[in-house]
Amino acid sequence: ELMTGYTMLRNGGVGNGGQPWVLRWSSRIRLTWLSFTLFVILVFFPLIAHYYLTTIDDADDAGKRIFGPRTGNELCEVKHVQDLCRIRESVSEELLQLEAKRQELNSEIAKLNLKIEACKKSIENAKQDLLQLKNVISQTEHSYKELMAQNQPKLSLPIRLLPDKDDATIPLPKSNRNCRLHNCFDYSRCPLTSGFPVYVYNSDDYPFGSSLDPLIKQAFEATVRTNVYVTENANIACVYIILVGEMQEPVMPKPTELEQQLHSLPYWRTDGHNHLIINLSRKSETQNFIYNISTGRAMIAQSTFYDSQYRPGFDIVVSPLVHAMSEPNFLEIPPQVPVKRKYLFSFQGEKIESLRSSLQEVRSFEEEIEGNAPADYDDRIITTLKAVQDSKLDFVLVEFTCKNQPKASLPTEWALCGERDDRLELLKLSTFALIITPGDTHLVISAGCTMRLFEALEVGAIPVVLGEQVQLPYNDVIRWNEAALIIPKPRITEVHFLLRSISDNDLLAMRRQGRFLWETYFSTSDNVFSTVLAIIRTRIQIPAAPIREEPAVEIPHRSGKAAGTDPNMADNGDLDLGPVETEPPYASPKYLRNFTLTAMDIYRNWNSAPGPFHLFPYTPFDPVLPSEAKFLGSGTGFRPIGGGAGGSGKEFQAALGGNVPREQFTVVMLTYEREEVLMNSLERLNGLPYLNKVVVVWNSPKLPSEDLLWPDIGVPIMVVRTEKNSLNNRFLPWDEIDTEAILSIDDDAHLRHDEIMFGFRVWREARDRIVGFPGRYHAWDIPHQSWLYNSNYSCELSMVLTGAAFFHKYYAYLYSYVMPQAIRDMVDEYINCEDIAMNFLVSHLTRKPPIKVTSRWTFRCPGCPQALSHDDSHFHERHKCINFFVKVYGYMPLLYTQFRVDSVLFKTRLPHDKTKCFKFI
């Protein structure tokens, strides 16, 4: 249609129906114009209206605003809005009142909460006070029952009895040969509480003093100056000692002159009672010049005795003083392993004069039985030993003729050959060392025999003494059959069989015991002199002097900071490891048998001979044995193992284990300038049951900060100042430690209360062991032929680190005063290995491994500063320490074990009436 219109327009509008076309065209034009008009109105009118309205609202006269917002009052003028306004105002007032009441109620609730907390604290304090009162009542009842059971009052020390100016009359023996303690010793000068004072004469004040061997005299004087029993007050002395030998040959006085000088001693008192004459020998050829001297009632201590001279139980056979002014070098002493050496046995010696030549003829068997001199077995011994050597069944070395000039000796005595170093080299290659006693049976012991014994024990050759009549050094107190073989000479043909039949374990035990005897009683002048005094003191039944304790110099510190309770430390859950007591600190009971010495006690002597302080002889872990040193011994009261009526026993959580009814332990914590770590560790001890005291060993020369506030954990905290920075300070026997049980713990150790209590329980069941948490072990490095220290996780262990371990205070004395000084010096050199040294010591003494408790392998606290053990050289130093300690001890004392102690209650929660067991897995 459009095309038609267009065609008609081109044609001048002429066509069919021209007028309708115009109408249609005009209507289209009007429609287009109308649409345009509407578009303009819809777009521009709102813009104009918006502009107009905004212009009116900006007018200055507020009353002329037509479209602006009105105020609330203006709205309220509207009648239908007034009610809503009143409602809003009422609600606002009520809300304000409710808010005020809410704040008031919150304030009252806060006050009530404070009152509730205060009441709870009061209740807890009242409960603690009630529990303490119950414990005090229980302790009082227990003490009363013990006293009633003993039916005897507690004894106090008697008043010390001083000797009278005029000595008591002592019955005279028929001859000096019959002297014994009961008829030649004045007991009135030696009361039990006297302390065994000993007065030593100065040999230089007498003419014979110039004839003494200078080395022996110098060594003797040095020993006397340091001995605890020596006194300068002769009026109170129990025993008087004079040194008369070894004398030098050219200037030796005549026997009559020496006898006059002895009798002129100011306290000789006509017969020399309570005197001890010491004749020490440094050489094998020392002569028995006292044999022809009248010594009255004086005791004699020397290395050579004839049977007519020796008085058993009165005189003393002493060892030679070889190391007069020098300490033995442990690095030169051969190790105790391997057990078998190159030679089965060895002997070198030459007999200058035989008994057969002096007798001119061989005695018959009947004459021997009648008590006459026996036949000389030496020819039979020579023949038998040469036959064993020629048989080549075993490597043996026997020489009956010296290559060089033999040493001087007594008649019928086998003289030593060669120099001392040559003899020691041969003994280092020998499993056994033969010692042939003199053919003259009247000679019960000689300096040559004691010298052979000394050298054999020194290098670990087991002595084989041919001749049962011999009196070995200190034979009345040392069980020599534990370290040597004493065989009658007629059994010489059976010696080879006997030596081959001894097992390796027995050989090692005898060699170890011999090494102990040599170190303790033979090696130095101090050991010899102390042993002589200990024998006399033991004979007259006077207790040993208490070994000294290390005086603790306290560092003043401020306390009062209330220690919080870490729930991870104190919360044991459902686990009950024993009766949790809150008793005040109390010390371990001391032994009440210090003045009791019986035959049974001597029989049970731990190491066979009394020492200067009785450290080794009497173990503190046997409740039957006496404790001569005051620090030894356990409690005096013991309950039956059954513990209840009908033998049912106590429940697990109703007993603490062990046979000591009441006991606490002391924490010894070593620290060095780590105050924050230390404070955190001390706070973790708050509320720990059975804790007696905490001894903080401050190992730094720099004192703690003055403003440092120490936590109050309910027990005393003693901060001890040390003389130098040494890890050995961890094991010093501080006098502030009043308990037998010591928990040695590092300042960064992180242990829970239940773990500590469990370790304490286990230690009470094994008081002679180290009981702790982190285990370690040693291993043999085959390529390097040396020992290694290993800290890898393993089922096997041989050490327990003392950074978290229980041990007996007894071992603190041994570590500090008895253990070889060379070990402590190496600990100071490396600032390391003190825990290894303690494990070596305890295993050496007990021949038992330590006990590990729980499965924990580490115990360090998270986030603590780095310790010494993180240094790269730490393990290399510990390897060196182990190998050095093995050289000092002569063998590896550590023992392997896979034994670990855990409580089944750690794994299984049992009802209260079922937890009666304590199992070991």
Side-chain angles (χ1 to χ4, degrees), residues 812-829:
Y813 295 94
L814 297 183
Y815 183 98
S816 302
Y817 304 138
V818 179
M819 188 180 69
Q821 181 63 37
I823 296 180
R824 293 190 293 272
D825 292 341
M826 191 167 195
V827 171
D828 288 336
E829 178 183 355

Side-chain angles (χ1 to χ4, degrees), residues 359-403:
L359 295 176
Q360 299 297 327
E361 61 180 4
V362 179
R363 304 280 183 171
S364 65
F365 179 73
E366 289 78 8
E367 291 175 325
E368 297 175 20
I369 295 180
E370 292 175 0
N372 297 324
D376 189 0
Y377 289 103
D378 289 356
D379 291 342
R380 189 184 307 174
I381 292 174
I382 294 173
T383 303
T384 303
L385 295 181
K386 283 185 176 181
V388 174
Q389 185 178 24
D390 295 338
S391 67
K392 298 183 179 180
L393 294 174
D394 293 291
F395 283 108
V396 299
L397 191 150
V398 290
E399 295 178 354
F400 300 104
T401 303
C402 297
K403 297 178 181 178

Side-chain angles (χ1 to χ4, degrees), residues 286-288 304 306 353 408-414 443 445-447:
T286 301
Q287 300 296 319
N288 183 13
T304 303
Y306 286 96
E353 180 182 354
S409 62
L410 298 175
T412 73
E413 182 185 16
W414 287 92
L443 186 61
I445 190 63
S446 64

Side-chain angles (χ1 to χ4, degrees), residues 453-467:
L453 180 67
F454 181 94
E455 293 176 353
L457 295 177
E458 182 178 6
V459 297
I462 300 174
V464 180
V465 182
L466 296 179

Side-chain angles (χ1 to χ4, degrees), residues 15 96 120 148 259 283 351 357 634 788 811 868-869 917:
L96 291 175
K120 288 182 178 180
M148 293 299 294
E259 181 178 329
K283 301 185 293 290
K351 200 169 187 179
S357 61
S634 303
L788 296 177
Y811 294 126
L868 293 175
S869 58
C917 60

Side-chain angles (χ1 to χ4, degrees), residues 66-103:
I66 301 173
F67 300 100
R70 297 179 180 272
T71 61
N73 294 331
E74 292 175 349
L75 293 175
C76 291
E77 292 178 357
V78 183
K79 293 182 179 180
H80 65 274
V81 181
Q82 292 179 355
D83 294 336
L84 295 177
C85 293
R86 285 194 298 271
I87 293 172
R88 188 188 67 173
E89 292 176 357
S90 176
V91 171
S92 299
E93 292 178 359
E94 291 180 359
L95 289 176
L96 291 175
Q97 294 176 0
L98 290 175
E99 179 64 21
K101 290 182 179 180
R102 187 184 67 82
Q103 293 180 358

Side-chain angles (χ1 to χ4, degrees), residues 25 64 107 236 859:
W25 179 253
K64 296 180 179 181
S107 177
I236 65 171
F859 55 90

